[in-house]
Structure formats: C-alpha cells, structure tokens
Amino acid sequence: MKNIIIAIDGPAASGKSSTAKRVAQQLGYVHVDTGAMYRAVALKAMQLGVESGDRDAIERMAKTTTVRLEYDDAQKVHVMLDGADVTDAIRMPEVSKAASDISAVPAVRDLLVREQRAMGAQGGIVLDGRDIGTVVFPNAELKIFMIADAYERAVRRAMELEEKGIYADVLALEREIMERDRNDSTRAHSPLKKADDAYVIDTTRLTIEEQTAFILSRAKELLA
Ligand code: CDP
C-alpha cells in the first residue's frame, strides 16, 4: 500500500485536529498536530517572559528549543518541550494568542517546519495546521482546507475546553478566534491560505463522522 501525505489546513478551531486524528487512526497513519508545536514554543516564551515582538530574543530561544511529538502505547500523543511533557499546559486559552504571535517569527517556523518535514519524509502521515499544503508539503497527495462559521467554531472550542475543566465565554472565544485568523492570514511568512489544489470542506453543518468520511473516501481513491 502506498503511503501518502494528507495535509489539512484551515482557520482556528475549524475541527482540523480532531478530524485529522480520526483519519490517521482509520488509515493506520501518524497524526501530527502542528499547532501543538507552535503552542509549545509559545508556552516556553511565556514561561521565560520573552515578548513575541522581541525577535532577537525569540530567535535565540528557538535555537535552543526542541519540540517533539511522542506517541505512547495507547497511541496518545505527548507534546514534549525540551524533554518536558506540556500536552495539557498548551491548551490554556492564553497560549492560543501567544502561539499566533510567535508563529509569525521566521526562526520559529524554520525550526518547526524542519521537524515536520522529517516526520513526514516517509509518508503515511496526516498533518494539520495553517501552511501544510502550501509550504510544509506542497506536494502532498491530498489537501483539505477546513472552514466553519466563527460562532460555531467558538461553541465547539468552548465545549472542548469544558471537557478539560476550563470555562470560557463563547462570545469572547469567537472574538479571539476571529482575531487570530486575521493575524494568521495577514502575516508575511507562511500565512494561513488555501492551497490551489485543496478541497474545501465547510464543517458548519457537518458532523465529525461526515467530514472524516469525506477525507477517507478521497484518500482511498488515491490509494486504490
Ligand atoms: O486548534 P486551534 O485551531 O485553535 O489552533 P492550533 O492549530 O493549535 O494553532 C495555534 C496557532 O499556531 C495558530 O493560530 C497559528 O498562528 C499557529 N500555527 C501556524 O502558524 N502554523 C501551523 N502549521 C499551525 C499553527
């Protein structure tokens, strides 16, 4: 069986990671949540008190930072920052905005893109993020761009956070999501953008099973 690369991009909280995880499980592929990697670098900057506007300090920090995704026996992913498990800490809402700011710094992107390309070199992988189909793997065999209404995305994110015991206001989340999309789409380096050859899926009225099934059927056509 061929091992393809599946790239899933799209704006904040559009359901990329949960869908990518299911697609990977069904195909026996590895899932790489690239947003988690940017979140980990942002967490480090927050812990060290390094401002995202201080490009020199961020570049210096990036040079001595390692971010790895490790998979345990139950296939649960652990986000490792300089060897420490930060899987839960990176989901705090304040890390989202910090990740969006720090991801505009080229030195940070270079560090993480290198790691992502190494993970995907053999194929058999589903990556989700903002620049996977445009920059990280422009030759990915299957590209998806996932969108959804901003309010619906905020409701879903609030529910996800609630499951983790974090309570957030839906309207505040909607504002944060829209601001982050603006930030991500307008940055100079690797902005959030649909690849010309990506399928667009609007998930506003789809269930996770429906969006997963769509991607799986496209993948199976390519693997046939
Ligand atoms: O899960 P959610 O959509 O809220 O965000 P995420 O995928 O965890 O990504 C957090 C932030 O990291 C985004 O707002 C982007 O600024 C940045 N990011 C990026 O620049 N490139 C990627 N490939 C993935 C995330």
Side-chain angles (χ1 to χ4, degrees):
M1 190 162 130
K2 269 193 301 183
N3 275 333
I4 62 169
I5 295 177
I6 303 179
I8 305 183
D9 291 303
S14 52
K16 302 177 300 287
S17 287
S18 30
T19 308
K21 185 173 165 191
R22 280 176 162 76
V23 170
Q25 265 166 359
Q26 292 288 323
L27 295 172
Y29 278 16
V30 172
H31 166 220
V32 173
D33 172 357
T34 64
M37 301 171 80
Y38 289 93
R39 285 172 179 271
V41 178
L43 181 70
K44 180 165 175 176
M46 286 167 71
Q47 287 168 347
L48 295 177
V50 177
E51 300 283 338
S52 63
D54 188 348
R55 298 283 162 120
D56 290 345
I58 291 191
E59 273 179 35
R60 276 197 304 278
M61 187 190 84
K63 284 199 183 108
T64 55
T65 300
T66 59
V67 177
R68 300 262 184 284
L69 300 182
E70 291 181 5
Y71 300 84
D72 66 20
D73 293 343
Q75 286 310 303
K76 182 183 173 338
V77 65
H78 295 267
V79 183
M80 308 300 292
L81 170 66
D82 297 331
D85 192 332
V86 294
T87 311
D88 293 329
I90 59 168
R91 297 299 159 193
M92 299 300 287
E94 56 270 32
V95 181
S96 305
K97 173 70 170 59
S100 182
D101 289 338
I102 211 164
S103 67
V105 181
V108 173
R109 303 206 71 82
D110 292 347
L111 168 79
L112 299 182
V113 168
R114 207 177 320 123
E115 184 71 21
Q116 290 154 16
R117 287 187 178 141
M119 285 189 282
Q122 310 301 321
I125 192 166
V126 185
L127 302 102
D128 74 88
R130 304 291 186 290
D131 59 339
I132 310 302
T134 51
V135 174
V136 184
F137 286 112
N139 296 325
E141 285 85 351
L142 177 56
K143 298 182 189 178
I144 306 291
F145 196 76
M146 243 181 208
I147 55 169
D149 172 78
Y151 182 74
E152 177 64 29
R153 290 188 275 142
V155 170
R156 291 180 192 163
R157 180 51 50 92
M159 280 161 50
E160 255 173 42
L161 289 170
E162 208 172 301
E163 278 168 24
K164 297 186 167 80
I166 303 169
Y167 296 89
D169 176 63
V170 173
L171 291 179
L173 273 178
E174 185 187 15
R175 274 196 302 277
E176 181 269 319
I177 280 173
M178 287 167 62
E179 192 188 320
R180 199 144 52 91
D181 288 349
R182 212 166 21 248
N183 210 17
D184 292 345
S185 327
T186 54
R187 68 181 174 220
H189 206 67
S190 304
L192 162 68
K193 188 160 133 307
K194 183 185 100 59
D196 291 338
D197 51 348
Y199 290 98
V200 177
I201 310 181
D202 184 339
T203 71
T204 308
R205 281 171 203 83
L206 292 183
T207 63
I208 182 130
E209 288 78 17
E210 287 169 329
Q211 62 220 36
T212 303
F214 175 86
I215 300 173
L216 280 174
S217 53
R218 294 291 83 72
K220 285 178 182 157
E221 284 163 13
L222 290 165
L223 290 164

